[in-house]
Amino acid sequence: VQLQASGGGLVQAGESLRLSCVASEDIFKRADMGWYRQAPGKERELVASIRRGGKTDYADSVQGRFTVSRDNAKNTVYLQMDSLNAEDTAVYYCKAQVPDFTAGAMDVFWGQGTEVTVSS
């Protein structure tokens, strides 16, 4: 398994969760990392991303509530989710995007998903 996500669960509105995604060292050191989510009946959407250099981006819907970070020593990317609400209910996936300079393309790897349920 190249990406392993964990940390999901059932929480009440207003509470917090922290998701973790551990990657293989070979992938992590070269990858821009991202968190996506897919709610029932909806398409998968980008939640937050963090590049190798540390630059972060967030979806408008989570800006100010979620924080993405990476620990390069542990090959792990985190998603701290605060002030959760029912609209955050989804399966959350981590993604690693690694440039393949030989092919001139990007190699993409997905974790298996971790479910977050927020009760209102």
Side-chain angles (χ1 to χ4, degrees):
V1 177
Q2 293 168 314
L3 294 177
Q4 184 75 38
S6 62
L10 171 63
V11 297
Q12 294 193 345
E15 295 184 340
S16 299
L17 276 176
R18 188 176 80 156
L19 306 183
S20 301
C21 176
V22 181
S24 66
E25 180 179 2
D26 180 62
I27 289 175
F28 192 84
K29 66 183 180 182
R30 299 180 293 138
D32 296 329
M33 302 295 296
W35 285 99
Y36 288 70
R37 68 185 180 188
Q38 187 166 17
K42 295 186 177 181
E43 294 188 354
R44 191 172 298 189
E45 63 175 357
L46 176 65
V47 176
S49 64
I50 183 166
R51 299 185 184 182
R52 284 171 292 168
K55 183 180 185 302
T56 58
D57 290 292
Y58 296 93
D60 290 343
S61 59
V62 307
Q63 183 76 46
R65 300 188 298 122
F66 290 12
T67 304
V68 61
S69 61
R70 62 191 293 162
D71 185 334
N72 293 331
K74 296 182 179 180
N75 302 322
T76 302
V77 60
Y78 302 99
L79 184 67
Q80 176 66 41
M81 306 186 293
D82 298 321
S83 303
L84 285 161
N85 57 58
E87 288 69 42
D88 297 316
T89 295
V91 177
Y92 285 71
Y93 300 88
C94 59
K95 172 186 173 184
Q97 192 163 290
V98 180
D100 183 341
F101 297 107
T102 301
M106 300 293 285
D107 293 330
V108 176
F109 303 89
W110 290 94
Q112 85 286 7
T114 184
E115 188 167 5
V116 173
T117 303
V118 184
S119 63
S120 56

